[in-house]
Structures are given as C-alpha cells and as structure tokens.
Amino acid sequence: MGDTLLAEGEDPGFWQQIFNFDDCGELLSLVQNSLLAGAFLGLVGGLVGVFVIMRDLPFAVHGISELSFAGAAAALLLGLNIVAGSIVGSLLAAAAIGVLGVRARDRNSIIGIIMPFGLGLGVLCLSLYKGRTANKFGILTGQIIAVDTPQMSWLIGTSVVVLIALAIVWKPLTFASVDPEVAEVRGVPIRALSLTFMLVLGLAVALCVQIVGALLVLSLLVTPAAAAARITASTVLLPVLSVVFALVSMEGGILLALGSAIPISPYVTTISFMIYLACRLATARQDKGRTGRTPRTVRPAPPALERPSTWV
C-alpha cells in the first residue's frame, strides 16, 4: 500500500520502495485503526512477553501462532470472522499445550507436533481460497490497513480480557514463574496458573497475528521483553520497559510502512531487533567496563520475591 504516483513506466528505486513519505499526510488517515490496534497490541504483547521470557515459552508462542494462522485461514475460506477464527485456533493450541505439556520435555514435543499440523492446515485452507491474494498474504505477514471497525471491536474486547486476566493473576504468576518449587510448597496453584497463562497467551498471539502476521508474531511477544530483560531484573521496571519497546516497535513499524508497498511486519521486526541489539550491546559494554573482560552471556537473575499475604 502507499505506492507513490510515479511517471508512467518509471521504476521506483530500491530505497524509494522501502522508505517513501511523500503521501504520509494523506495515508495517515487510512491507518488510524491500525495505530490504535498497534497501541493495544504493544501493551498486551509487552506484558505477556514478560512471562513468556520468565517461563521460557518462546517456542510455545510460535506453536500457538501456527494454529492461530490455521484458524484465521479456515475462517477466511468459510467466509467467517477472521479474528474469531484466529482466536479459536490459538485457544485450542494453548489449551493442548497447557494440558498435555506439563513438563518442559512434553511441552516441546506437543508444540513440535502442533506446529506442522497447524501450518499444513492453514496452507490447505489458503490453497482452497479463491479470493484476493492480498488476504492470503496478510494472514502470514500482516496488513497495515486490514483493521476495519468490526475487527477493531474484537481486538479491543480481547485485549481488555487479556489485561484483566493478567491483573488478576499477576502476583501469583510472577511468584510461580520465578520460583515454581517454592511457590508450590507455599500453596500457589501452579497447574491452574500455568493453564490460565497459556490461554491468555493464546489470546495475545491471536491479537498479534492480525497485525504482524503468523510468521513474525515473536517480534511482539518475545523480543521486547527479551530486550528489557537484558538491562533490568526488576519486576517493576521489566514490564514497563517491555511495553515501551513493544509500543515503539509497533507504532514505528506502522508509520515507516505508510509509504511503501512492503508489509508492515519487516519494519516491526527490524525495529524490535534493533532495540534488542542496542540493549545487549549496552549491557555488554557496562559489564566489560567493570571487569575489563568480555562477559559471558548470562540471563539476568530475577529478584527474590516475598510471599504476599494472600494469593488471588
């Protein structure tokens, strides 16, 4: 979208195809829904991503996204609501992983089984779909102007559900993520929290698929939180920075994609990666300055948590 008017027969240059802001003023009015959706996705992705990193679930995000893609593709084929199809596919995958994959080894096996099945089912549905090619491509890589008013209602409603669920389980889920053995001894319902979070993660994945596509959903649910974890282990600052990084990636990607025919996802993923790279280089330089040698790659240790008086 956003191709600038060129003289007949004129071939746009390489950089002009990637960055072109000639008609940004006019195009900005077309992506107001996308900018609002991007703000919700940045908030949801940043918060959920904190627990994805704490609980070591990046692989699960990718597995759920494949079933979300299959659900969206099936809905497209049947003429149903794409957002609803994406949510159904994500929840089914999240529930299967949460119920069957209690241990890490079992979980990875389940994800390894779900991923090719979801991808194959999605490809089958897209192959049978005879509509616009852009609709097929958008499910995989995202679309900047694909968020209409009905989809916006779904996105906002689902985002609110995710945020409310996170607010309810935040304290016990943090404790269970940082030190599951001690949390279980102290009466925290580990299994119930794990399944609850997997369902919340499924909803978050379905939301992100609508904008950045199924293939690159990790750029919102993993990379911002991973970047934040490089520079802080604070349970307060970590989610704040994760949300800020996700918002910058999301909104920046939308604005950069305005004047180009390239999908939004390469811009979002590039900004997200550059933020992570900057955070990694900053911490490496600080550690090297303190010790005089290049540090080993060490994941920041989470701080000790006191047990609250009551677990909600």
Side-chain angles (χ1 to χ4, degrees):
M1 81 147 251
D3 287 324
T4 53
L5 296 177
L6 299 169
E8 186 176 354
E10 183 181 348
D11 185 26
F14 174 77
W15 291 111
Q16 189 177 10
Q17 295 181 61
I18 299 177
F19 302 109
N20 194 319
F21 305 104
D22 292 344
D23 301 321
C24 276
E26 301 173 8
L27 297 172
L28 197 58
S29 61
L30 300 176
V31 294
Q32 291 179 355
N33 277 352
S34 292
L35 288 171
L36 181 57
F40 275 97
L41 293 185
L43 179 59
V44 169
L47 293 176
V48 172
V50 170
F51 293 105
V52 171
I53 295 300
M54 282 186 178
R55 302 173 74 86
D56 195 21
L57 291 174
F59 193 39
V61 172
H62 194 35
I64 294 172
S65 71
E66 302 295 357
L67 258 293
S68 180
F69 159 64
L76 183 65
L77 175 64
L78 299 174
L80 303 176
N81 187 291
I82 296 178
V83 179
S86 177
I87 291 174
V88 170
S90 289
L91 289 179
L92 288 175
I97 295 171
V99 172
L100 301 176
V102 178
R103 295 179 301 176
R105 180 179 299 178
D106 294 336
R107 183 173 62 236
N108 289 338
S109 298
I110 294 299
I111 296 169
I113 294 168
I114 286 176
M115 282 177 58
F117 169 73
L119 186 59
L121 183 60
V123 170
L124 173 63
C125 292
L126 290 188
S127 300
L128 296 174
Y129 177 68
K130 303 303 180 184
R132 295 176 57 212
T133 304
N135 293 335
K136 300 180 183 182
F137 195 57
I139 296 176
L140 289 170
T141 60
Q143 294 188 71
I144 188 173
I145 57 172
V147 185
D148 54 22
T149 301
Q151 284 180 313
M152 196 67 216
S153 301
W154 276 92
L155 288 169
I156 293 177
T158 309
S159 298
V160 170
V161 171
V162 170
L163 293 175
I164 291 174
L166 283 177
I168 293 173
V169 302
W170 189 274
K171 286 184 178 180
L173 185 60
T174 301
F175 190 23
S177 301
V178 170
D179 199 339
E181 291 81 11
V182 175
E184 188 171 17
V185 169
R186 294 188 177 183
V188 179
I190 299 293
R191 291 178 65 90
L193 280 173
S194 179
L195 179 57
T196 299
F197 177 69
M198 289 307 301
L199 294 176
V200 170
L201 179 59
L203 290 175
V205 169
L207 290 173
C208 295
V209 164
Q210 304 310 310
I211 300 295
V212 297
L215 297 180
L216 302 171
V217 71
L218 293 171
S219 62
L220 275 184
L221 286 172
V222 175
T223 312
R230 295 298 307 181
I231 58 178
T232 182
S234 166
T235 53
V236 175
L237 191 57
L238 178 60
V240 171
L241 287 178
S242 179
V243 168
V244 170
F245 293 160
L247 285 172
V248 170
S249 301
M250 201 59 245
E251 302 295 340
I254 292 174
L255 294 175
L256 285 176
L258 276 179
S260 122
I262 298 172
I264 180 180
S265 46
Y267 297 96
V268 175
T269 53
T270 300
I271 295 174
S272 186
F273 174 75
M274 295 303 294
I275 291 173
Y276 174 80
L277 187 61
C279 292
R280 190 177 181 90
L281 290 175
T283 52
R285 180 172 297 180
Q286 289 176 359
D287 291 342
K288 187 175 180 180
R290 293 193 193 102
T291 63
R293 58 184 178 182
T294 303
R296 294 175 299 170
T297 301
V298 179
R299 183 180 175 183
L305 295 179
E306 297 180 0
R307 181 193 179 197
S309 55
T310 57
W311 293 109
V312 209

